[in-house]
């Protein structure tokens, strides 16, 4: 009976995948509404001209990644709220698990793990930094980049029983969060709107473009990485 | 080149299938771990290299991804196997040699 069910479920999944893949529109041949075109051409207030990668200059928002231009520019206030949600959950974990001693096993961690951490950790941290520095150009950004960095920190926790980062992570987290709000307040002082994109946006596709978007994403990357490292440190304390 | 790429993707998919079959059929944790990581490592290598050959723009990225998988996958499976051994999960009765008896020295 179990096998029949398993077979039915896999058949259903296969049908679902084939169905949803076959109705995908052809690459580059999608009919978009006016609103989505306004966001893609980065001219919500403007005249809706087509954006050319590597050529268009001084748009409302210079991020080549459309998602990033919406998340960190058009609705950056909402992202501030998202960061706060993450902060609250980290706070909750810290509150519940506060006071527990860190678990020790009385034996050295895996030899293979200890050796490979030395090779892997710089690469993982580098990749995380790459993901959030290039958040306005490629898929990714502050949240995935910070999570990748936290995964590297987890590797350190697994391979070294003495390693502790809780103080540093709290420090980095609070400073990154405050700087995000400071960026917003500077926008309020210059442009009259909280979190407005007050820097020049440059050419679409350049590393130094998109105004405050890379700055905010770097701050979010540090904040999310520190927060998730703090959560890992708290969870590792479980008696 | 594109034909070779598609062949490699099909080859990798076949090894993914073998890995899934191994997880279903193997008798204990350690054998399943081996099937789930060894077969899928080769499967991932072939699929990613195949994608790189089909679209040559992706080839450098594909090679880097292959290097990362080669670095991380064995470490992960080794850590899992060691953790389950030290937790006290017994191998099947068919296992004759156990060179890791008692864990490593303190």
């Amino acid at each position: 009976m179990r096998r029949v069910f398993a077979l039915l479920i896999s058949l259903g999944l296969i049908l679902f995948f084939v169905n949803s893949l076959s109705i995908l529109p052809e690459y580059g041949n999608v009919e978009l509404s006016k609103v989505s075109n306004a966001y893609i051409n980065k001219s919500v207030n403007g005249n809706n001209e087509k954006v050319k990668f590597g050529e268009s200059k001084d748009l409302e928002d210079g991020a080549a990644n459309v998602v990033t231009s919406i998340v960190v520019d058009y609705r950056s206030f909402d992202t501030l709220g998202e960061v706060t949600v993450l902060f609250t959950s980290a706070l909750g974990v810290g509150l519940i698990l506060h006071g527990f001693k860190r678990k020790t096993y009385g034996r050295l961690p895996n030899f293979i793990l200890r050796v490979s951490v030395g090779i892997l950790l710089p690469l993982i941290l580098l990749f995380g930094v790459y993901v959030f520095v290039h958040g306005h150009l490629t898929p990714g950004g502050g949240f995935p980049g910070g999570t990748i960095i936290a995964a590297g920190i987890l590797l350190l926790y697994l391979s070294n029983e003495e390693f502790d980062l809780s103080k540093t992570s709290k420090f980095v987290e609070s400073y990154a969060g405050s700087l995000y709000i400071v960026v917003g307040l500077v926008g309020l002082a210059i442009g009259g709107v909280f979190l407005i994109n007050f820097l020049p946006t440059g050419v679409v596709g350049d590393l130094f473009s998109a105004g405050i978007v890379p700055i905010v994403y770097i701050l979010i990357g540090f904040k999310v990485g520190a927060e998730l490292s703090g959560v890992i440190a708290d969870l590792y304390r479980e008696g | 080149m594109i034909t070779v790429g598609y062949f490699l993707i099909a080859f990798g998919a076949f090894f993914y299938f073998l890995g899934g079959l191994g997880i279903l059929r193997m008798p204990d944790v350690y054998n399943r771990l081996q099937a789930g990581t060894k077969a899928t490592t080769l499967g991932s290598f072939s699929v990613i290299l195949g994608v790189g050959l089909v679209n040559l723009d992706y080839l450098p990225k594909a090679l880097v991804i292959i290097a990362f998988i080669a670095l991380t996958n064995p470490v992960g499976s080794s850590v899992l196997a060691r953790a389950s051994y030290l937790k006290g999960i017994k191998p099947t009765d068919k296992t004759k040699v156990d060179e890791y008896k008692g864990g490593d020295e303190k």
Side-chain angles (χ1 to χ4, degrees):
Chain A
M1 205 59 208
R2 260 177 73 195
R3 294 210 167 174
V4 177
F5 271 122
L7 213 64
L8 279 178
I9 288 172
S10 1
L11 271 179
L13 270 178
I14 289 170
L15 273 179
F16 172 74
F17 279 129
V18 169
N19 245 336
S20 40
L21 283 179
S22 61
I23 61 167
L24 273 182
E26 210 177 308
Y27 181 76
N29 262 342
V30 195
E31 292 227 349
L32 290 170
S33 66
K34 207 180 154 196
V35 178
S36 9
N37 264 322
Y39 278 118
I40 286 172
N41 297 331
K42 300 185 197 348
S43 53
V44 174
N45 302 317
N47 44 0
N48 228 337
E49 276 176 38
K50 274 246 179 283
V51 172
K52 273 198 183 138
F53 187 83
E55 281 177 34
S56 301
K57 244 184 174 176
D58 297 328
L59 301 157
E60 275 177 16
D61 173 284
N65 181 356
V66 179
V67 177
T68 307
S69 72
I70 293 168
V71 166
V72 192
D73 199 342
Y74 290 119
R75 36 145 272 195
S76 195
F77 191 58
D78 187 89
T79 308
L80 188 61
E82 262 173 52
V83 172
T84 318
V85 167
L86 197 62
F87 171 69
T88 316
S89 52
L91 202 69
V93 172
L95 208 64
I96 290 168
L97 294 174
H98 183 72
F100 283 109
K101 273 248 163 67
R102 188 167 166 187
K103 200 172 182 178
T104 47
Y105 296 94
R107 72 168 81 85
L108 275 176
N110 196 341
F111 173 75
I112 297 170
L113 185 66
R114 270 181 292 146
V115 172
S116 61
V117 161
I119 306 165
L120 284 176
L121 188 72
L123 294 173
I124 290 175
L125 292 186
L126 189 72
F127 181 58
V129 171
Y130 169 84
V131 166
F132 70 64
V133 167
H134 287 244
H136 57 299
L137 301 176
T138 51
F143 291 94
T147 314
I148 291 165
I149 287 180
I153 302 294
L154 173 63
L155 208 57
L156 269 179
Y157 265 95
L158 286 175
S159 66
N160 188 348
E161 293 226 307
E162 256 98 69
F163 183 77
D164 190 24
L165 197 80
S166 34
K167 284 224 174 77
T168 326
S169 74
K170 282 191 183 77
F171 181 81
V172 172
E173 182 195 338
S174 34
Y175 271 85
S178 319
L179 277 174
Y180 190 178
I181 293 173
V182 166
V183 168
L185 288 176
V186 171
L188 184 64
I190 291 176
V193 181
F194 188 59
L195 281 168
I196 198 173
N197 198 344
F198 57 86
L199 289 174
T201 51
V203 180
V204 174
D206 278 8
L207 182 57
F208 292 101
S209 66
I212 65 164
V213 172
I215 299 172
V216 168
Y217 248 173
I218 287 169
L219 291 175
I220 291 178
F222 272 109
K223 189 169 162 58
V224 170
E227 243 157 20
L228 291 180
S229 315
V231 168
I232 287 166
D234 283 332
L235 289 177
Y236 226 81
R237 269 211 287 270
E238 183 256 332
Chain B
M1 201 66 109
I2 290 172
T3 324
V4 177
Y6 279 123
F7 172 75
L8 275 176
I9 291 175
F11 187 69
F14 175 66
F15 267 88
Y16 274 136
F17 169 73
L18 285 187
L21 193 70
I23 287 178
L24 208 64
R25 297 280 302 163
M26 286 293 183
D28 66 347
V29 174
Y30 308 100
N31 285 317
R32 273 185 217 136
L33 207 56
Q34 192 195 18
T37 52
K38 261 192 185 167
T40 53
T41 304
L42 185 60
S44 313
F45 281 7
S46 318
V47 169
I48 293 166
L49 194 66
V51 170
L53 287 179
V54 168
N55 189 343
L56 282 177
D57 293 348
Y58 297 155
L59 192 57
K61 244 179 216 178
L63 291 177
V64 171
I65 294 172
I66 285 177
F68 277 134
I69 291 176
L71 278 174
T72 51
N73 219 345
V75 178
S77 61
S78 133
V79 169
L80 276 175
R82 182 178 184 266
S84 45
Y85 189 93
L86 292 174
K87 195 80 189 166
I89 295 170
K90 296 263 176 301
T92 48
D93 303 332
K94 286 178 197 158
T95 306
K96 292 273 160 44
V97 186
D98 182 3
E99 292 192 343
Y100 195 48
K101 204 156 211 157
D104 41 21
E105 58 274 16
K106 299 273 159 77

